[in-house]
Coordinates of all heavy atoms in Angstrom, one line a residue:
S4 N -9.4 -9.6 2.9 CA -8.1 -9.6 3.6 C -7.0 -9.9 2.5 O -7.3 -10.7 1.6 CB -8.1 -10.7 4.6 OG -6.8 -11.0 5.2
L5 N -6.0 -9.1 2.6 CA -4.8 -9.3 1.6 C -3.9 -10.3 2.1 O -3.6 -10.4 3.4 CB -4.1 -7.9 1.4 CG -4.9 -6.8 0.8 CD1 -4.1 -5.5 0.8 CD2 -5.3 -7.2 -0.6
E6 N -3.6 -11.2 1.3 CA -2.6 -12.4 1.5 C -1.2 -11.7 1.4 O -0.8 -10.8 0.7 CB -2.8 -13.6 0.6 CG -4.1 -14.1 0.8 CD -4.4 -14.7 2.1 OE1 -3.6 -15.2 2.7 OE2 -5.6 -14.6 2.5
A7 N -0.2 -12.4 2.0 CA 1.3 -12.1 1.8 C 1.6 -11.8 0.4 O 1.2 -12.6 -0.5 CB 2.2 -13.0 2.4
G8 N 2.2 -10.8 -0.1 CA 2.5 -10.3 -1.4 C 1.4 -9.6 -2.2 O 1.8 -9.3 -3.3
E9 N 0.2 -9.8 -1.8 CA -0.9 -9.2 -2.4 C -1.0 -7.7 -2.2 O -0.9 -7.5 -1.0 CB -2.2 -9.9 -2.2 CG -3.3 -9.5 -3.0 CD -4.5 -10.3 -2.8 OE1 -4.6 -11.1 -1.7 OE2 -5.6 -10.2 -3.4
V10 N -1.2 -6.8 -3.0 CA -1.4 -5.4 -2.8 C -2.7 -5.0 -3.4 O -3.3 -5.5 -4.4 CB -0.1 -4.6 -3.3 CG1 1.1 -4.8 -2.5 CG2 -0.1 -4.7 -4.8
A11 N -3.2 -3.8 -2.8 CA -4.4 -3.3 -3.4 C -4.2 -1.6 -3.2 O -3.3 -1.2 -2.4 CB -5.7 -3.8 -2.5
T12 N -5.0 -1.0 -3.8 CA -5.1 0.5 -3.5 C -6.2 0.9 -2.6 O -7.2 0.1 -2.3 CB -5.3 1.3 -4.9 OG1 -6.7 1.1 -5.3 CG2 -4.4 0.9 -6.0
Y13 N -6.1 2.0 -2.0 CA -7.2 2.5 -1.1 C -8.4 2.5 -1.8 O -9.7 2.1 -1.1 CB -6.8 4.0 -0.5 CG -5.6 4.0 0.3 CD1 -4.4 4.5 -0.3 CD2 -5.5 3.5 1.6 CE1 -3.1 4.6 0.4 CE2 -4.4 3.7 2.3 CZ -3.2 4.1 1.7 OH -2.1 4.1 2.5
N14 N -8.5 2.9 -3.1 CA -9.7 2.9 -3.8 C -10.3 1.4 -4.1 O -11.4 1.3 -4.1 CB -9.6 3.6 -5.2 CG -9.4 5.0 -5.1 OD1 -10.2 5.6 -4.1 ND2 -8.6 5.6 -6.0
D15 N -9.4 0.4 -4.3 CA -9.8 -0.9 -4.4 C -10.5 -1.4 -3.3 O -11.6 -1.9 -3.4 CB -8.6 -1.8 -4.7 CG -7.9 -1.7 -6.0 OD1 -8.5 -1.1 -6.9 OD2 -6.6 -2.1 -6.0
I16 N -10.0 -1.2 -2.1 CA -10.7 -1.6 -0.8 C -11.9 -0.9 -0.6 O -12.9 -1.5 -0.2 CB -9.6 -1.3 0.3 CG1 -8.5 -2.4 0.1 CG2 -10.5 -1.7 1.7 CD1 -7.4 -2.2 1.1
A17 N -12.0 0.5 -0.9 CA -13.2 1.2 -0.8 C -14.3 0.7 -1.7 O -15.5 0.5 -1.2 CB -13.0 2.7 -1.0
D18 N -13.9 0.3 -2.8 CA -15.0 -0.3 -3.8 C -15.5 -1.7 -3.3 O -16.5 -2.0 -3.3 CB -14.3 -0.4 -5.2 CG -14.1 0.8 -5.9 OD1 -14.8 1.9 -5.5 OD2 -13.4 0.9 -6.9
E19 N -14.4 -2.4 -2.7 CA -14.7 -3.7 -2.4 C -15.7 -3.8 -1.1 O -16.5 -4.7 -1.1 CB -13.5 -4.5 -1.9 CG -13.7 -6.0 -1.7 CD -12.4 -6.7 -1.5 OE1 -11.5 -6.4 -2.1 OE2 -12.3 -7.5 -0.5
I20 N -15.6 -2.8 -0.3 CA -16.6 -2.7 1.0 C -17.8 -1.9 0.6 O -18.7 -1.8 1.5 CB -15.8 -2.1 2.1 CG1 -15.4 -0.7 1.8 CG2 -14.7 -3.2 2.5 CD1 -15.0 0.0 3.2
G21 N -18.0 -1.7 -0.7 CA -19.3 -0.9 -1.1 C -19.3 0.6 -0.9 O -20.3 1.2 -0.8
R22 N -18.1 1.1 -0.7 CA -18.1 2.6 -0.4 C -17.1 3.3 -1.4 O -16.1 3.9 -1.0 CB -17.4 2.8 1.0 CG -18.3 2.2 2.0 CD -19.6 3.1 2.3 NE -20.3 2.5 3.5 CZ -21.2 3.0 4.1 NH1 -21.6 4.3 3.6 NH2 -21.9 2.6 5.0
P23 N -17.5 3.2 -2.8 CA -16.6 3.9 -3.7 C -16.5 5.4 -3.4 O -17.4 6.0 -2.8 CB -17.5 3.8 -5.0 CG -18.7 3.2 -4.7 CD -18.7 2.7 -3.3
G24 N -15.3 5.8 -3.7 CA -14.9 7.2 -3.3 C -14.5 7.5 -1.8 O -14.3 8.6 -1.4
S25 N -14.3 6.5 -1.0 CA -14.1 6.6 0.3 C -12.6 6.2 0.7 O -12.3 5.6 1.7 CB -14.9 5.6 1.1 OG -16.3 6.3 1.1
A26 N -11.7 6.4 -0.3 CA -10.3 6.0 -0.1 C -9.7 6.6 1.2 O -8.9 6.0 1.9 CB -9.4 6.4 -1.3
Q27 N -10.0 7.9 1.5 CA -9.4 8.5 2.7 C -10.0 7.8 4.0 O -9.2 7.7 4.9 CB -9.9 10.0 2.7 CG -9.3 10.7 3.9 CD -7.6 10.8 3.9 OE1 -7.1 10.9 2.8 NE2 -7.0 10.3 4.9
A28 N -11.2 7.4 3.9 CA -11.8 6.7 5.2 C -11.0 5.2 5.3 O -10.6 4.9 6.5 CB -13.2 6.5 5.1
V29 N -10.7 4.7 4.2 CA -9.9 3.4 4.3 C -8.6 3.7 5.0 O -8.0 3.0 5.7 CB -9.8 2.8 2.9 CG1 -8.7 1.6 2.9 CG2 -11.2 2.3 2.4
S30 N -7.9 4.8 4.5 CA -6.6 5.3 5.0 C -6.7 5.4 6.5 O -5.8 5.0 7.2 CB -6.1 6.5 4.4 OG -4.9 6.9 4.8
N31 N -7.7 6.1 6.9 CA -7.9 6.5 8.4 C -8.1 5.1 9.2 O -7.5 5.1 10.3 CB -9.1 7.3 8.6 CG -9.0 8.7 8.0 OD1 -7.7 9.2 7.8 ND2 -10.0 9.4 7.7
V32 N -8.8 4.3 8.8 CA -9.0 2.9 9.3 C -7.7 2.2 9.5 O -7.4 1.7 10.5 CB -10.1 2.0 8.7 CG1 -10.1 0.6 9.1 CG2 -11.4 2.7 8.8
L33 N -6.9 2.2 8.4 CA -5.6 1.4 8.4 C -4.6 2.1 9.4 O -3.9 1.3 10.0 CB -5.0 1.5 7.0 CG -5.7 0.4 6.0 CD1 -5.1 0.6 4.6 CD2 -5.6 -1.1 6.5
R34 N -4.8 3.3 9.4 CA -3.9 4.2 10.3 C -4.1 3.8 11.8 O -3.1 3.7 12.5 CB -4.0 5.7 10.3 CG -2.9 6.5 10.8 CD -3.1 7.9 10.6 NE -3.1 8.2 9.1 CZ -4.0 8.8 8.4 NH1 -5.1 9.4 9.2 NH2 -4.1 9.0 7.0
R35 N -5.3 3.5 12.1 CA -5.7 3.3 13.5 C -5.7 1.8 14.0 O -5.6 1.4 15.0 CB -7.0 3.7 13.9 CG -7.2 5.2 13.8 CD -8.5 5.7 14.1 NE -8.6 7.2 14.1 CZ -9.0 7.9 13.0 NH1 -9.3 7.2 11.8 NH2 -8.9 9.1 13.0
G36 N -5.7 0.8 13.0 CA -5.6 -0.7 13.2 C -4.4 -1.2 13.3 O -3.7 -1.3 12.4
S37 N -3.9 -1.6 14.4 CA -2.7 -2.1 14.7 C -2.3 -3.4 14.2 O -1.3 -3.7 13.8 CB -2.3 -2.2 16.2 OG -3.1 -3.0 16.9
D38 N -3.4 -4.3 13.9 CA -3.2 -5.5 13.4 C -3.5 -5.6 11.8 O -3.6 -6.6 11.3 CB -3.8 -6.6 14.1 CG -5.4 -6.4 14.1 OD1 -5.8 -5.3 13.7 OD2 -6.0 -7.4 14.5
L39 N -3.7 -4.5 11.1 CA -4.1 -4.6 9.8 C -2.7 -4.5 8.8 O -1.9 -3.7 9.2 CB -5.1 -3.4 9.4 CG -6.3 -3.4 10.2 CD1 -7.1 -2.1 9.9 CD2 -7.1 -4.6 9.8
P40 N -2.8 -5.2 7.8 CA -1.6 -5.2 6.8 C -1.5 -3.8 6.0 O -1.6 -3.9 4.8 CB -1.8 -6.4 6.0 CG -3.3 -6.6 5.8 CD -3.8 -6.0 7.2
W41 N -1.4 -2.7 6.6 CA -1.4 -1.4 6.1 C -0.4 -1.2 4.9 O -0.6 -0.5 3.9 CB -1.3 -0.4 7.1 CG 0.1 -0.4 7.7 CD1 0.5 -1.1 8.8 CD2 1.3 0.3 7.3 NE1 1.9 -0.9 9.1 CE2 2.2 -0.2 8.1 CE3 1.5 1.1 6.2 CZ2 3.7 0.4 7.9 CZ3 3.0 1.5 5.9 CH2 3.9 1.1 6.9
W42 N 0.8 -1.9 5.1 CA 1.8 -1.8 4.1 C 1.5 -2.2 2.8 O 2.1 -2.0 1.8 CB 3.2 -2.3 4.6 CG 3.0 -3.8 4.8 CD1 3.4 -4.8 3.9 CD2 2.6 -4.6 5.9 NE1 3.2 -6.1 4.3 CE2 2.7 -6.0 5.6 CE3 2.1 -4.2 7.2 CZ2 2.3 -6.9 6.7 CZ3 1.8 -5.2 8.1 CH2 1.8 -6.5 7.8
R43 N 0.3 -3.1 2.7 CA 0.1 -3.7 1.4 C -1.0 -2.9 0.7 O -1.5 -3.3 -0.5 CB -0.6 -5.1 1.6 CG 0.4 -6.1 2.2 CD -0.1 -7.4 2.2 NE 0.8 -8.4 2.9 CZ 0.5 -9.2 3.9 NH1 -0.7 -9.2 4.4 NH2 1.4 -9.9 4.5
V44 N -1.2 -1.7 1.2 CA -2.3 -0.7 0.6 C -1.5 0.4 0.0 O -0.8 1.1 0.8 CB -3.4 -0.4 1.4 CG1 -4.4 0.5 0.9 CG2 -4.1 -1.8 2.1
L45 N -1.7 0.8 -1.2 CA -1.1 1.9 -2.0 C -2.1 2.9 -2.5 O -3.2 2.6 -2.7 CB -0.3 1.3 -3.1 CG 0.6 0.1 -2.8 CD1 1.2 -0.4 -4.1 CD2 1.9 0.6 -1.8
P46 N -1.5 4.1 -2.7 CA -2.3 5.0 -3.5 C -2.6 4.5 -4.9 O -1.8 3.6 -5.4 CB -1.5 6.4 -3.5 CG -0.4 6.2 -2.4 CD -0.3 4.7 -2.3
S47 N -3.5 5.1 -5.5 CA -3.9 4.6 -6.8 C -2.9 4.7 -7.9 O -2.9 3.9 -9.0 CB -5.2 5.2 -7.4 OG -5.1 6.6 -7.3
D48 N -1.9 5.6 -7.8 CA -0.9 5.8 -8.7 C 0.3 4.7 -8.6 O 1.3 4.7 -9.2 CB -0.3 7.1 -8.9 CG 0.5 7.6 -7.5 OD1 0.5 6.8 -6.6 OD2 1.0 8.7 -7.5
G49 N 0.2 3.9 -7.4 CA 1.2 2.8 -7.1 C 2.4 3.2 -6.5 O 3.3 2.7 -6.3
R50 N 2.5 4.6 -6.2 CA 3.7 5.3 -5.6 C 3.5 5.2 -4.1 O 2.6 5.8 -3.5 CB 3.9 6.6 -6.1 CG 5.0 7.2 -5.6 CD 5.3 8.7 -6.2 NE 5.6 8.5 -7.7 CZ 5.7 9.4 -8.5 NH1 5.6 10.7 -8.1 NH2 6.0 9.2 -9.7
L51 N 4.6 4.7 -3.4 CA 4.5 4.7 -2.0 C 4.6 6.2 -1.4 O 5.5 7.0 -2.1 CB 5.7 4.0 -1.4 CG 5.5 2.4 -1.2 CD1 5.3 1.8 -2.5 CD2 6.6 1.9 -0.5
Y52 N 4.0 6.6 -0.4 CA 4.1 7.9 0.2 C 5.6 8.0 0.8 O 6.1 7.0 1.3 CB 3.3 8.2 1.4 CG 1.8 8.2 0.9 CD1 0.8 7.3 1.3 CD2 1.4 9.3 0.0 CE1 -0.5 7.5 0.9 CE2 0.2 9.3 -0.4 CZ -0.8 8.5 0.1 OH -2.1 8.6 -0.3
R53 N 6.3 9.2 0.5 CA 7.5 9.3 1.0 C 7.8 9.1 2.5 O 8.7 8.4 2.9 CB 8.0 10.8 0.6 CG 9.5 11.0 0.6 CD 9.8 12.5 0.3 NE 9.3 12.9 -1.0 CZ 9.9 12.8 -2.1 NH1 11.0 12.1 -2.2 NH2 9.4 13.1 -3.2
S54 N 6.8 9.4 3.3 CA 6.9 9.2 4.7 C 6.6 7.8 5.1 O 7.2 7.4 6.2 CB 5.7 10.2 5.4 OG 4.5 9.8 4.9
H55 N 6.1 7.1 4.3 CA 6.0 5.6 4.6 C 7.0 4.7 4.1 O 7.2 3.7 4.5 CB 4.6 5.0 3.9 CG 3.4 5.6 4.5 ND1 2.2 5.3 3.9 CD2 3.2 6.4 5.6 CE1 1.2 6.0 4.6 NE2 1.8 6.7 5.5
L56 N 7.9 5.2 3.1 CA 8.9 4.4 2.5 C 9.9 3.7 3.5 O 10.1 2.5 3.3 CB 9.7 5.3 1.5 CG 10.6 4.6 0.6 CD1 10.0 3.5 -0.2 CD2 11.5 5.6 -0.2
P57 N 10.3 4.4 4.5 CA 11.4 3.7 5.4 C 10.8 2.4 6.2 O 11.5 1.4 6.3 CB 11.6 4.7 6.3 CG 11.3 5.9 5.8 CD 10.2 5.8 4.9
T58 N 9.5 2.4 6.3 CA 8.9 1.3 7.0 C 8.2 0.3 5.9 O 8.4 -0.8 5.9 CB 7.8 1.6 8.1 OG1 8.5 2.5 8.9 CG2 7.3 0.5 8.8
Q59 N 7.5 0.9 5.1 CA 6.6 0.1 4.2 C 7.5 -0.5 3.0 O 7.3 -1.8 2.7 CB 5.6 1.1 3.4 CG 4.7 0.4 2.5 CD 3.6 1.4 1.9 OE1 3.9 2.5 1.8 NE2 2.5 0.8 1.6
G60 N 8.6 0.1 2.7 CA 9.4 -0.4 1.6 C 9.9 -1.7 2.0 O 9.9 -2.7 1.3
P61 N 10.7 -1.9 3.1 CA 11.2 -3.2 3.6 C 10.3 -4.2 3.8 O 10.5 -5.4 3.4 CB 12.0 -2.8 4.9 CG 12.3 -1.4 4.8 CD 11.1 -0.8 4.0
L62 N 9.1 -3.9 4.2 CA 8.0 -4.9 4.4 C 7.6 -5.4 3.0 O 7.3 -6.6 2.9 CB 6.8 -4.3 5.1 CG 7.0 -4.0 6.7 CD1 5.9 -3.2 7.2 CD2 7.1 -5.4 7.4
L63 N 7.3 -4.5 2.1 CA 7.0 -5.0 0.8 C 8.1 -5.9 0.1 O 7.8 -6.8 -0.6 CB 6.6 -3.8 -0.1 CG 5.2 -3.2 0.2 CD1 5.0 -1.9 -0.4 CD2 4.0 -4.0 -0.1
K64 N 9.3 -5.4 0.1 CA 10.5 -6.1 -0.4 C 10.5 -7.5 0.2 O 10.9 -8.4 -0.5 CB 11.7 -5.4 0.0 CG 11.9 -4.1 -0.9 CD 13.2 -3.3 -0.7 CE 13.2 -2.1 -1.4 NZ 14.5 -1.3 -1.1
S65 N 10.1 -7.6 1.5 CA 10.3 -8.9 2.2 C 9.2 -10.0 1.6 O 9.3 -11.1 1.7 CB 10.1 -8.9 3.6 OG 8.8 -8.6 4.0
E66 N 8.3 -9.3 1.0 CA 7.1 -10.2 0.3 C 7.3 -10.2 -1.3 O 6.5 -10.7 -2.0 CB 5.7 -9.5 0.6 CG 5.5 -9.5 2.1 CD 4.2 -9.0 2.5 OE1 3.5 -8.4 1.6 OE2 3.6 -9.2 3.6
G67 N 8.4 -9.9 -1.7 CA 8.8 -10.1 -3.1 C 8.7 -9.0 -4.0 O 8.7 -9.1 -5.3
H68 N 8.4 -7.8 -3.7 CA 8.3 -6.6 -4.4 C 9.5 -5.8 -4.5 O 10.4 -5.8 -3.7 CB 7.1 -5.8 -3.9 CG 5.7 -6.5 -4.0 ND1 5.1 -6.6 -5.0 CD2 5.0 -7.0 -2.9 CE1 4.0 -7.3 -4.7 NE2 4.1 -7.5 -3.5
H69 N 9.6 -5.0 -5.5 CA 10.8 -4.1 -5.8 C 10.1 -2.6 -5.8 O 9.1 -2.4 -6.4 CB 11.4 -4.4 -7.1 CG 12.4 -3.3 -7.4 ND1 13.6 -3.3 -6.7 CD2 12.5 -2.4 -8.3 CE1 14.4 -2.4 -7.3 NE2 13.7 -1.8 -8.2
I70 N 10.8 -1.7 -5.1 CA 10.5 -0.3 -5.1 C 11.4 0.4 -6.2 O 12.6 0.4 -5.9 CB 10.5 0.3 -3.9 CG1 9.9 -0.6 -2.8 CG2 9.9 1.7 -3.7 CD1 8.3 -0.9 -2.9
D71 N 10.8 1.1 -7.2 CA 11.8 1.7 -8.0 C 12.2 3.1 -7.6 O 11.8 3.5 -6.5 CB 11.2 1.8 -9.5 CG 10.0 2.7 -9.7 OD1 9.7 3.6 -8.8 OD2 9.3 2.6 -10.6
R72 N 12.9 3.9 -8.4 CA 13.5 5.1 -7.9 C 12.3 6.2 -7.7 O 12.5 7.2 -7.1 CB 14.4 5.7 -9.0 CG 15.8 5.0 -8.9 CD 16.8 5.6 -9.9 NE 17.9 4.8 -10.0 CZ 19.1 5.2 -10.5 NH1 19.2 6.3 -11.1 NH2 20.1 4.3 -10.4
E73 N 11.2 6.0 -8.4 CA 10.0 7.0 -8.3 C 9.1 6.5 -7.1 O 8.0 6.9 -7.1 CB 9.3 7.1 -9.5 CG 10.0 7.8 -10.6 CD 11.0 7.0 -11.4 OE1 10.8 5.9 -11.6 OE2 12.1 7.5 -11.7
R74 N 9.6 5.5 -6.3 CA 8.9 4.9 -5.2 C 7.7 4.1 -5.6 O 6.6 3.9 -4.9 CB 8.5 6.0 -4.2 CG 9.5 6.9 -3.6 CD 9.1 7.8 -2.6 NE 7.8 8.4 -2.8 CZ 7.7 9.4 -3.5 NH1 8.7 10.2 -4.1 NH2 6.4 10.1 -3.7
R75 N 7.6 3.7 -6.8 CA 6.5 2.8 -7.4 C 6.8 1.4 -7.3 O 8.0 0.9 -7.3 CB 6.4 3.1 -8.8 CG 5.7 4.5 -9.1 CD 5.4 4.5 -10.7 NE 5.1 5.9 -10.9 CZ 4.1 6.6 -10.8 NH1 3.1 6.1 -10.2 NH2 3.9 7.8 -11.1
L76 N 5.8 0.7 -6.8 CA 6.0 -0.7 -6.7 C 6.2 -1.5 -7.9 O 5.3 -1.3 -9.0 CB 4.7 -1.3 -5.9 CG 4.8 -2.7 -5.3 CD1 5.8 -2.7 -4.2 CD2 3.5 -3.2 -4.8
R77 N 7.1 -2.4 -8.0 CA 7.3 -3.3 -9.2 C 7.7 -4.7 -8.8 O 8.2 -4.8 -7.8 CB 8.6 -2.7 -10.0 CG 8.6 -1.4 -10.5 CD 7.7 -1.1 -11.7 NE 8.0 0.2 -12.1 CZ 6.9 1.0 -12.5 NH1 5.8 0.4 -12.5 NH2 7.0 2.1 -12.9
P78 N 7.0 -5.6 -9.6 CA 7.1 -7.0 -9.2 C 8.6 -7.4 -9.4 O 9.3 -6.9 -10.3 CB 6.2 -7.8 -10.0 CG 5.8 -6.7 -11.1 CD 6.0 -5.4 -10.6
V79 N 9.1 -8.3 -8.6 CA 10.5 -8.9 -8.8 C 10.4 -9.8 -10.0 O 9.6 -10.6 -10.0 CB 11.0 -9.4 -7.5 CG1 12.3 -10.1 -7.8 CG2 11.2 -8.5 -6.5
D80 N 11.4 -9.7 -11.0 CA 11.2 -10.6 -12.0 C 11.7 -11.9 -11.5 O 12.7 -12.1 -10.9 CB 12.2 -10.1 -13.1 CG 11.8 -8.9 -13.8 OD1 10.5 -8.7 -13.9 OD2 12.7 -8.1 -14.3
G81 N 11.0 -13.0 -11.8 CA 11.3 -14.3 -11.3 C 11.7 -15.3 -12.3 O 12.1 -16.3 -12.2

């Protein structure tokens, strides 16, 4: 389970559950699970999907992340 502010990739989660190469299946599960922290899971290149940005961006920003012009997650300098 991801804690507030912690992010992972779809591939990270697939590997963690013992299903390497199953990133798409992870995405499908997150899409259907209403109580899962889907906004904390990113593609392996770290770039938010354009279609997710309006919802995912503010959620990540509220947890201390910055989204750059290329839609990549960047930590906020503290």
Side-chain angles (χ1 to χ4, degrees):
S4 171
L5 296 174
E6 300 297 324
E9 185 180 11
V10 295
T12 67
Y13 296 103
N14 284 326
D15 290 339
I16 293 174
D18 289 346
E19 188 173 319
I20 63 171
R22 300 286 185 168
S25 298
Q27 184 61 53
V29 170
S30 175
N31 292 339
V32 168
L33 289 172
R34 191 174 307 126
R35 291 183 182 95
S37 62
D38 61 341
L39 298 174
W41 64 269
W42 64 92
R43 296 183 185 134
V44 184
L45 307 170
S47 58
D48 67 359
R50 183 177 291 177
L51 279 65
Y52 293 120
R53 196 177 307 270
S54 60
H55 294 174
L56 186 61
T58 304
Q59 189 176 25
L62 290 167
L63 288 168
K64 286 178 183 179
S65 75
E66 294 183 347
H68 296 283
H69 174 74
I70 313 301
D71 70 16
R72 290 182 182 193
E73 287 83 37
R74 300 185 322 276
R75 291 186 195 281
L76 191 69
R77 302 280 185 224
V79 173
D80 294 332

